[in-house]
Amino acid sequence: MDHLHLYTFQIDLRSRLDRPLSECLAPEERARAASYRTLELSRFAVVARGLLRHVLSRYAGIAPADIAFSHNDHGKPFLALPGGAPSPIGFNMSHSGAMVAIAVGEDAAIGVDIECPREIGEIDTLIERFFTMPERESLRDLSGYRRADGFFRLWTRKEAVLKASGFGLSVDPVQVDAVAERVVLGDGTAAGGDFPPTFFVTDISTPGIFHGALASGRPDALVHSIVDCEDPADFLGRPELR
Ligand SMILES: CC(C)(COP(=O)(O)OP(=O)(O)OC[C@H]1O[C@@H](n2cnc3c(N)ncnc32)[C@H](O)[C@@H]1OP(=O)(O)O)[C@@H](O)C(=O)NCCC(=O)NCCS
């Protein structure tokens, strides 16, 4: 696999996918899903996690139920090989609304973030608090929906970088200047993180459907294949992407 693969799923809970997909979940994943506030959130969590296991199973060459995960100190999940060593296959996932995005590649430093378009109150306060001077400057002349689009574009780029680094939102988003294609985290020392501090970011938004960005420690993350699965049930019968 010489570049990143990105899977986007639109989850329709009417299709009752949670039954077949829950079979491959570990007991703690089922318990976590069951702890969510509403039945809908619980079912969504089951479908998302089941799809993640099915996607990873195609790369790892093992059954979805046999996939094992480990996590870093900030909760970033990794694929673990039998015996617990980290796998060379990296991945990251994001969910928003009814969408799930899963990025996979031969790089541990992968981050993906998606946000479904929605009303954001206090957008100016968020920009003031979390955006760098060059980011604010790039939004300065935008108003209305263009400003909201610009906000989501930069926000998902920031979050994709923070997720690629493994720190997530334990690092202040203002440490990421997401205007450039090549993003250096903080002052370049990556605060003792697991990965080199430079990330390559690309936009993966589908206008009107979701805003999103993909980040990787490898420049070839800018080349990616997208598998757009409107109905996740179709994916389960699809051939592998290479
Ligand atoms: C990860 C984080 C950025 C999620 O943001 P979000 O916009 O709410 O959610 P997204 O849907 O984009 O991403 C969630 C997924 O990211 C992954 N994830 C979790 N922690 C992550 C991290 N530190 N870095 C990268 N990815 C992470 C998981 O797969 C998670 O899915 P899951 O909840 O189904 O397991 C945010 O919750 C965070 O920073 N958490 C870590 C905070 C921390 O340091 N916790 C320490 C105790 S574990």
Side-chain angles (χ1 to χ4, degrees):
M1 192 189 347
D2 54 2
H3 59 277
L4 295 193
H5 295 171
L6 177 75
Y7 296 80
T8 59
F9 297 102
Q10 185 84 44
I11 294 179
D12 179 354
L13 290 177
R14 284 170 307 183
S15 71
R16 293 251 155 231
L17 266 174
D18 42 340
R19 291 256 167 85
L21 285 172
S22 75
E23 282 165 13
C24 66
L25 264 54
E28 61 273 17
E29 290 171 318
R30 275 194 222 124
R32 187 179 173 208
S35 73
Y36 287 129
R37 228 175 40 250
T38 64
L39 184 60
E40 198 174 56
L41 286 174
S42 299
R43 290 182 54 208
F44 184 88
V46 166
V47 173
R49 200 67 180 192
L51 287 169
L52 175 65
R53 283 180 169 271
H54 275 267
V55 167
L56 294 178
S57 123
R58 295 182 171 209
Y59 294 87
I62 50 179
D66 294 336
I67 297 281
F69 296 102
S70 60
H71 298 83
N72 75 1
D73 291 347
H74 305 285
K76 180 170 181 168
F78 297 94
L79 195 56
L81 292 173
S87 160
I89 297 162
F91 78 92
N92 196 232
M93 83 185 291
S94 180
H95 11 72
S96 179
M99 299 244 4
V100 172
I102 298 172
V104 192
E106 282 178 17
D107 176 12
I110 297 174
V112 63
D113 188 51
I114 57 167
E115 299 287 344
C116 289
R118 59 183 185 278
E119 278 292 317
I120 295 264
E122 312 288 338
I123 196 169
D124 291 325
T125 313
L126 294 172
I127 291 170
E128 182 93 359
R129 165 67 184 86
F130 295 117
F131 284 28
T132 64
M133 287 311 279
E135 289 170 343
R136 288 188 222 174
E137 186 58 25
S138 76
L139 297 176
R140 200 184 46 152
D141 296 331
L142 302 179
S143 58
Y145 77 89
R146 285 183 206 280
R147 189 168 174 78
D149 281 357
F151 168 84
F152 277 121
R153 174 174 179 268
L154 288 174
W155 178 260
T156 54
R157 289 172 67 85
K158 273 176 185 296
E159 206 176 311
V161 168
L162 290 170
K163 292 178 78 182
S165 75
F167 287 116
L169 292 172
S170 64
V171 164
D172 190 332
V174 82
Q175 295 287 318
V176 178
D177 183 24
V179 170
E181 200 171 83
R182 185 173 164 280
V183 176
V184 178
L185 189 59
D187 64 2
T189 57
D194 301 335
F195 307 117
T198 303
F199 298 92
F200 299 88
V201 193
T202 187
D203 296 330
I204 53 166
S205 302
T206 300
I209 310 285
F210 69 92
H211 302 275
L214 188 58
S216 165
R218 285 174 39 173
D220 51 8
L222 302 182
V223 182
H224 56 273
S225 308
I226 299 191
V227 181
D228 182 8
C229 299
E230 214 160 278
D231 183 355
D234 290 347
F235 164 76
L236 301 177
R238 273 195 202 195
E240 282 181 34
L241 183 71
R242 284 289 164 208

